[in-house]
Amino acid sequence: MASPTLICDTEPWKNLKNHVDEIKKTHLRDLMSDTERCQSMMVEFDGMLLDYSRQNATPETTDKLYQLAEAAHLKEKINRMYSGEHINSTENRSVLHVALRAPRDSVINSDGNNVVPEVWKVLDKIQEFSERVRSGFWVGATGKALKDVVAVGIGGSFLGPLFVHTALQTDPEAIESSRGRQLRFLANVDPIDVAKSINGLNPETTLVVVVSKTFTTAETMLNARTLREWISAALGPSAVAKHMVAVSTNLTLVEKFGIDPENAFAFWDWVGGRYSVCSAVGVMPLSLQYGFSVVEKFLKGALSIDQHFYSAPFEKNIPVLLGLLSVWNVSFLGHPARAILPYSQALEKFAPHIQQVSMESNGKGVSIDGVVLPFEAGEIDFGEPGTNGQHSFYQLIHQGRVIPCDFIGVVKSQQPVYLKGEVVSNHDELMSNFFAQPDALAYGKTPEQLQKENVPPHLIPHKTFSGNRPSLSLLLPSLNAYNIGQLLAIYEHRIAVEGFIWGINSFDQWGVELGKSLATQVRKQLHAARTKGEPIEGFNFSTTALLTRYLEASSDIPADPPTLLPRI
């Protein structure tokens, strides 16, 4: 059997490698003076504008990237994903998060079955249930309406829904539909997170949504048992069925836990956790908070990008262009990181979510065929809303390491503020920075310019900005539920494009398993030490010393402590 071909062995990859020296001779000051080039690097779709003219790239670069996409069979891989083939080969699964927002009459097959009717069956069930809760028809054990929701989940069951919730909190339509309600998320197994998530809540008016596909995730289930005890202690064990519902496929464990299986909302193994915000994982808690009609607009926004990604030619395809440019920056220009910089406080949880989607998807060292990669794949993602980030890590971006930046701006603020007598509105002030920062990175400031400004010679090296630092700008018309769905889908597909080009499996995450299994061993040792006084064994010197110190310093904890709930 012939050994699999790695993408780095293809001619287009080698051509791009040879092209790097040519690009290094250019500077963005010069590239930005070419109006025709800049015009060719702007793409519009559905009211949004992508400008990637501040990338270290020429039209020749993009042509070579399209050739690389062809060598990687990008279009074929996209088609295979949409047609439900098992492109997640290590887990033998389809990858169909696009089916979660498909129209009701769509046909998307997995293993010969159209999954769209299953999706809509769950969506209809969520709509019905959320409306019953929101209308006060479904009440708690004491007859009070359930106004507060705590969603318990971790990783993909937490970060995506939290991002959407945070973005919607300041949207006028969403504000109106969520009056008198609150949604909180409990993810960390740290008891402090438990305390914060229930602080000020009344069990009588609280509904807990436990999100775990298998109902076995260690952190989630411990947190779920803790909230079950919180409810039972206040209202009695029989209240659990009225105050807890599940997003899971394991109906046996759901029922054993004390939740009525009728109040379990399914999702499927063709949905990876980090791609599951459009499933019951996100739709359930978000519909309880904002109403299904708002969440449906979010799904339609994601759908608009799904259709664009599937059908638009590569040179006009926003996720494809973003993915190819990331490959160019990471694998050819040697920039391992990317800063995600939304100029909207409503998007403060966007970077943490994309950090997970990107780094869990593409943090791989072998090809999809199991061959060790002789090049770097994946990128380090981080970010913070502007202008906060400008007063934090922009120093490094401007004068330290070269980190490609994604600037995300919004034309119309969710919450406009105008002060009489001010030169510009608050949003204009924010957007002034959005427009200025990419140019500051691209052009920099030369010693000659500083000399003309009479800067003292000893300060010139410190005030010089080399420039030539790449960025791209994505300008959204507004930030409503529809636009939030669009933004999510753009980045989901961008990450898939990168993985398809690199030839890796972006849809498994074996890297999270080793730490889990080692934690299981530690858990057993802690239990044995606390209850039987057994010595720590089976670990290296360092771990043994740390565990011993921990046990000695917490020896006042009884071996079989009574139930203790947070005191906040």
Side-chain angles (χ1 to χ4, degrees):
M1 181 174 138
S3 60
T5 302
L6 294 171
I7 189 64
C8 60
D9 295 329
T10 65
E11 282 305 309
W13 183 282
K14 293 171 184 174
N15 290 339
L16 279 162
K17 276 289 185 189
N18 294 332
H19 181 61
V20 169
D21 286 339
E22 190 178 334
I23 288 298
K24 285 185 174 176
K25 294 174 187 172
T26 66
H27 195 289
L28 280 169
R29 291 184 200 118
D30 303 315
L31 294 177
M32 292 299 293
S33 66
D34 183 342
T35 303
E36 191 176 332
R37 170 192 166 275
C38 293
Q39 200 168 14
S40 73
M41 292 183 169
M42 291 189 175
V43 176
E44 289 190 65
F45 173 72
D46 201 8
M48 67 179 68
L49 175 65
L50 168 66
D51 176 4
Y52 62 97
S53 60
R54 291 176 189 79
Q55 290 286 305
N56 295 123
T58 63
E60 185 184 354
T61 314
T62 51
D63 286 343
K64 290 180 185 297
L65 286 169
Y66 299 143
Q67 291 165 22
L68 183 69
E70 193 173 332
H73 307 290
L74 177 58
K75 182 58 183 169
E76 179 190 327
K77 289 175 180 177
I78 294 170
N79 291 346
R80 289 180 63 209
M81 181 172 82
Y82 276 70
S83 63
E85 290 190 37
H86 286 207
I87 63 170
N88 179 355
S89 54
T90 61
E91 296 179 305
N92 195 27
R93 293 175 181 172
S94 304
V95 176
L96 284 177
H97 44 280
V98 295
L100 299 173
R101 49 254 188 164
R104 200 182 285 268
D105 58 356
S106 299
V107 176
I108 300 177
N109 289 315
S110 177
D111 298 317
N113 298 315
N114 181 15
V115 301
V116 177
E118 298 175 44
V119 169
W120 275 95
K121 184 179 177 183
V122 174
L123 289 175
D124 289 339
K125 184 178 177 182
I126 290 172
Q127 181 176 13
E128 181 197 10
F129 180 79
S130 61
E131 286 176 357
R132 288 170 71 200
V133 172
R134 287 169 56 82
S135 68
F137 184 82
W138 175 292
V139 293
T142 62
K144 292 185 178 180
L146 300 174
K147 298 287 189 181
D148 309 312
V149 173
V150 179
V152 183
I154 199 165
S157 300
F158 157 64
L159 289 163
L162 177 63
F163 143 59
V164 179
H165 170 52
T166 308
L168 284 173
Q169 275 184 310
T170 40
D171 169 65
E173 181 187 10
I175 289 171
E176 194 59 39
S177 64
S178 62
R179 288 198 186 280
R181 308 194 63 83
Q182 59 178 319
L183 170 61
R184 299 184 185 179
F185 292 88
L186 170 57
N188 200 331
V189 75
D190 186 337
I192 290 170
D193 204 19
V194 177
K196 290 173 71 175
S197 73
I198 60 175
N199 180 32
L201 296 187
N202 180 355
E204 290 183 281
T205 59
T206 302
L207 179 68
V208 176
V209 182
V210 183
V211 183
S212 175
K213 184 184 290 185
T214 61
F215 238 57
T216 58
T217 308
E219 302 98 325
T220 297
M221 295 318 300
L222 180 53
N223 279 336
R225 291 191 295 273
T226 304
L227 293 198
R228 181 179 63 185
E229 184 62 33
W230 177 66
I231 290 165
S232 298
L235 307 174
S238 62
V240 170
K242 278 287 190 182
H243 289 265
M244 299 187 84
V245 299
V247 175
S248 180
T249 52
N250 192 335
L251 297 184
T252 303
L253 288 185
V254 166
E255 186 171 21
K256 188 177 177 183
F257 185 88
I259 294 174
D260 186 342
E262 286 297 309
N263 299 326
F265 300 83
F267 60 117
W268 305 271
D269 66 5
W270 41 259
V271 182
R274 57 195 174 278
Y275 295 95
S276 66
V277 65
C278 294
S279 73
V281 167
V283 173
M284 183 75 230
L286 293 168
S287 293
L288 287 165
Q289 178 69 8
Y290 298 107
F292 185 80
S293 61
V294 170
V295 180
E296 193 169 19
K297 290 174 184 175
F298 162 72
L299 296 176
K300 286 180 177 174
L303 168 65
S304 80
I305 297 299
D306 293 342
Q307 294 171 334
H308 167 72
F309 178 52
Y310 184 72
S311 60
F314 287 172
E315 64 272 12
K316 296 290 182 186
N317 193 312
I318 291 175
V320 168
L321 288 166
L322 295 181
L324 290 174
L325 290 167
S326 281
V327 170
W328 170 240
N329 283 319
V330 172
S331 297
F332 296 94
L333 297 183
H335 305 318
R338 169 179 64 188
I340 299 171
L341 310 171
Y343 277 66
S344 170
Q345 191 63 30
L347 295 175
E348 65 176 306
K349 296 300 182 182
F350 183 60
H353 175 52
I354 297 307
Q355 185 179 62
Q356 189 213 12
V357 182
S358 172
M359 295 170 72
E360 195 166 81
S361 293
N362 290 340
K364 307 293 167 60
V366 299
S367 75
I368 198 164
D369 299 307
V371 179
V372 175
L373 297 178
F375 57 87
E376 297 290 345
E379 57 205 332
I380 302 159
D381 286 277
F382 69 98
E384 189 73 22
T387 57
N388 293 1
Q390 292 176 200
H391 296 269
S392 174
F393 51 79
Y394 277 38
Q395 169 64 46
L396 182 137
I397 292 173
H398 278 290
Q399 289 186 305
R401 293 176 179 271
V402 176
I403 298 175
C405 298
D406 292 0
F407 289 93
I408 303 167
V410 181
V411 173
K412 293 184 178 178
S413 174
Q414 290 177 329
Q415 298 291 325
V417 172
Y418 306 98
L419 297 181
K420 186 175 175 61
E422 292 287 342
V423 176
V424 292
S425 69
N426 294 43
H427 189 63
D428 280 353
E429 177 66 31
L430 173 74
M431 292 302 287
S432 296
N433 287 274
F434 167 81
F435 294 115
Q437 288 291 334
D439 276 343
L441 288 167
Y443 289 87
K445 199 159 193 179
T446 65
E448 291 74 24
Q449 289 173 306
L450 293 165
Q451 285 170 355
K452 287 179 182 177
E453 294 174 7
N454 296 318
V455 172
H458 73 280
L459 286 180
I460 285 178
H462 302 282
K463 291 195 169 191
T464 296
F465 292 76
S466 64
N468 204 34
R469 291 162 185 259
S471 69
L472 56 86
S473 300
L474 185 64
L475 188 60
L476 306 178
S478 58
L479 197 60
N480 53 31
Y482 182 84
N483 304 132
I484 294 164
Q486 288 183 306
L487 188 60
L488 172 79
I490 284 171
Y491 274 77
E492 285 180 345
H493 295 319
R494 171 198 197 151
I495 289 157
V497 168
E498 293 173 63
F500 288 152
I501 298 294
W502 282 319
I504 60 180
N505 185 355
S506 299
F507 306 106
D508 63 6
Q509 60 283 331
W510 299 104
V512 303
E513 300 301 323
L514 179 58
K516 283 184 182 180
S517 63
L518 292 176
T520 299
Q521 296 173 34
V522 175
R523 189 183 304 121
K524 290 176 181 175
Q525 282 275 297
L526 286 173
H527 177 72
R530 293 246 193 245
T531 58
K532 302 173 187 175
E534 292 184 6
I536 300 299
E537 293 177 338
F539 297 97
N540 60 47
F541 175 82
S542 172
T543 305
T544 302
L546 288 167
L547 278 169
T548 302
R549 170 64 67 89
Y550 175 71
L551 286 163
E552 287 173 353
S554 60
S555 59
D556 56 327
I557 296 174
D560 187 20
T563 295
L564 175 67
L565 293 171
R567 294 189 298 271
I568 290 182

